[in-house]
């Protein structure tokens, strides 16, 4: 079955998980909650995963760019745990003054609502959409010491020993977890999930051979693949990745209609002043459409947001995108039985 659900499903689930109204751009100075100008001091960007993963890599690059554009330091704070929910919840409950923002992932902003259900510490209404930063494909990986060299070999090994193989991800509910569980559902294989607190620890275990398989975002796994420390079996996007041109897609490997990518963006606490959200949105849009940034993202197969005709993003477009992704991945989570116990 195709990964994308029907349109009715999008509208139904989006209605159940309503998002807050996002800010509309206003002329004049950027006002803060006290009526002054913004920003006047350091801004904190919470990255809800440990250092070394894709969220961390892209978040730190964005923080540098925003610091230059805003004239105030944007400092990174890694706060991992619970599939990103701990860091995201800290932002949802932070003072809505524009000085705390979240480097959100597809997990924290979409998949986790279905995976964690009633255990979610925050809801979509608690976070305001600011801007989509980039999209990246995932890659199916195998330890170098494994005899598995392609998807056909992985499926054969899994069917020969049901439940005997382990696969690692950066955590429960993230895009790599959802993608692998969908692959399991589509192929009928039984392999056991081993979640880690981020890509960095997981990749260390894969390189050492303590887990046999993995699914990860391409950017965080790319150097390990290029150095021959781990083996890439297939990418999850519809087209081959330009940075891994010799690695087939899952569709090419025989999994029809498989097309799924991760994404990353900025959210802020709900009730953050409208002009602040609008200003941040404009600055993010300017960054992601700048040629130097685009080239940097292309180095590890990250793409433009493409929420506007110019390839950029706005708070309004990101809000709609998040609504649709919540609905889309709710259906995937049901199909792949992705539930945090």
């Amino acid at each position: 079955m195709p990964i994308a659900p029907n349109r009715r499903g999008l509208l139904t689930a989006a209605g159940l998980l309503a998002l807050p109204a996002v800010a509309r751009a206003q002329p004049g100075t950027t006002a803060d909650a006290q009526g002054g100008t913004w920003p006047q001091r350091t801004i904190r960007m919470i990255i809800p995963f440990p250092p070394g993963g894709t969220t961390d890599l892209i978040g730190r690059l964005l923080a540098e760019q925003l610091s230059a554009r805003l004239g105030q330091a944007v400092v990174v704070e890694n706060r991992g745990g619970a599939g990103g929910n701990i860091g995201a919840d800290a932002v949802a409950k932070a003072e809505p003054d524009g000085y705390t923002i979240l480097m959100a992932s597809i997990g924290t902003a979409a998949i986790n609502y279905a995976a964690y259900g009633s255990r979610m510490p925050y809801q979509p209404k608690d976070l305001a959409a600011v801007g989509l930063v980039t999209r990246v494909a995932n890659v199916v990986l195998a330890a170098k010491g494994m005899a598995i060299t392609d998807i056909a070999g992985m499926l054969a090994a899994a069917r020969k020993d049901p439940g005997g193989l382990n696969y690692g991800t950066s955590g429960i509910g993230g895009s790599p977890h959802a993608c692998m569980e969908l692959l399991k559902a589509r192929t009928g294989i039984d392999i056991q999930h081993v979640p880690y607190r981020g890509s960095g620890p997981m990749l260390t275990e894969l390189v050492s051979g303590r887990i046999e398989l993995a699914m990860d975002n391409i950017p965080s796994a790319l150097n390990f693949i290029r150095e021959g420390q781990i083996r890439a079996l297939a990418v999850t996007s519809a087209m081959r990745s330009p940075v891994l041109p010799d690695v087939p897609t899952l569709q090419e490997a025989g999994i029809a209609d498989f097309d799924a990518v991760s994404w990353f963006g900025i959210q802020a606490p709900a009730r953050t002043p409208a002009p602040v959200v609008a200003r941040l949105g404009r600055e993010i849009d300017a960054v992601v459409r700048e040629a130097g940034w685009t080239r940097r993202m292309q180095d590890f197969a990250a793409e433009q947001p493409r929420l506007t005709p110019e390839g950029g993003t706005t708070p309004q477009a990101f809000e709609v995108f998040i609504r649709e992704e919540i609905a889309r991945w709710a259906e995937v989570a049901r199909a792949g039985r992705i539930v945090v116990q």
Side-chain angles (χ1 to χ4, degrees):
M1 67 176 182
I3 192 169
N6 61 43
R7 194 68 182 173
R8 180 178 296 178
L10 292 178
L11 296 175
T12 301
L16 292 174
L17 290 168
L19 290 164
V22 297
R24 300 297 188 265
Q26 298 181 13
T29 60
T30 304
D32 63 18
Q34 287 74 44
T37 59
W38 178 93
Q40 296 182 333
R41 55 184 171 86
T42 297
I43 298 164
R44 181 176 57 149
M45 176 191 289
I46 290 183
I47 296 178
F49 297 98
T54 303
T55 317
D56 182 67
L57 294 172
I58 293 173
R60 288 177 184 277
L61 289 173
L62 181 65
E64 292 176 6
Q65 296 297 314
L66 290 178
S67 295
R69 299 190 68 89
L70 293 170
Q72 292 287 348
V74 178
V75 299
V76 165
E77 177 183 330
N78 293 90
R79 192 178 295 192
N85 283 350
I86 291 175
D89 186 50
V91 176
K93 292 178 170 58
E95 187 71 24
D97 54 11
Y99 292 101
T100 303
I101 59 177
L102 172 69
M103 187 65 190
S105 71
I106 186 175
T108 63
I111 298 172
N112 286 4
Y113 295 114
Y116 284 81
S118 62
R119 298 178 61 187
M120 280 294 287
Y122 61 93
Q123 291 300 311
K125 64 182 177 60
D126 299 322
L127 292 163
V130 180
L132 181 63
V133 176
T134 192
R135 310 175 193 233
V136 300
N138 294 323
V139 57
V140 185
L141 303 162
K144 186 179 178 181
M146 291 285 293
I148 296 170
T149 59
D150 55 24
I151 291 297
M154 183 189 84
L155 298 179
R159 287 167 179 151
K160 182 178 179 180
D161 183 19
L165 296 179
N166 295 322
Y167 81 92
T169 71
S170 56
I172 295 173
S175 174
H177 180 206
C179 282
M180 187 64 97
E181 290 299 316
L182 182 62
L183 177 59
K184 287 170 56 178
R186 297 278 294 277
T187 58
I189 61 172
D190 178 15
I191 57 178
Q192 301 303 308
H193 182 214
V194 182
Y196 290 86
R197 291 173 61 94
S199 290
M202 182 273 291
L203 289 167
T204 298
E205 294 289 281
L206 185 64
V207 169
S208 70
R210 282 188 283 270
I211 51 175
E212 296 95 349
L213 301 165
M215 179 84 79
D216 199 17
N217 305 139
I218 290 178
S220 47
L222 187 57
N223 285 339
F224 293 93
I225 297 168
R226 285 175 168 168
E227 293 171 3
Q229 297 185 69
I230 54 179
R231 184 177 292 126
L233 305 183
V235 297
T236 63
S237 50
M239 310 242 344
R240 291 195 182 199
S241 168
V243 298
L244 295 172
D246 297 327
V247 178
T249 67
L250 281 170
Q251 291 189 32
E252 290 175 320
I255 317 299
D257 301 317
F258 203 109
D259 180 15
V261 298
S262 297
W263 49 263
F264 307 90
I266 293 295
Q267 292 179 295
R271 298 177 301 282
T272 297
V276 173
V277 173
R279 170 76 187 282
L280 262 174
R282 289 194 300 271
E283 299 299 351
I284 292 169
D285 178 62
V287 170
V288 300
R289 292 193 292 113
E290 199 271 327
W293 172 270
T294 300
R295 287 193 297 272
R296 189 73 179 272
M297 293 296 102
Q298 289 173 343
D299 287 343
F300 43 79
E303 303 176 1
Q304 282 189 309
R306 302 193 311 275
L307 294 186
T308 68
E310 300 78 23
T313 183
T314 67
Q316 296 78 25
F318 191 32
E319 174 192 9
V320 173
F321 179 82
I322 291 173
R323 288 175 186 261
E324 293 180 345
E325 286 289 281
I326 289 172
R328 179 191 193 201
W329 288 98
E331 293 197 8
V332 172
R334 284 193 292 272
R337 300 180 296 278
I338 302 170
V339 178
V340 178
Q341 300 298 328

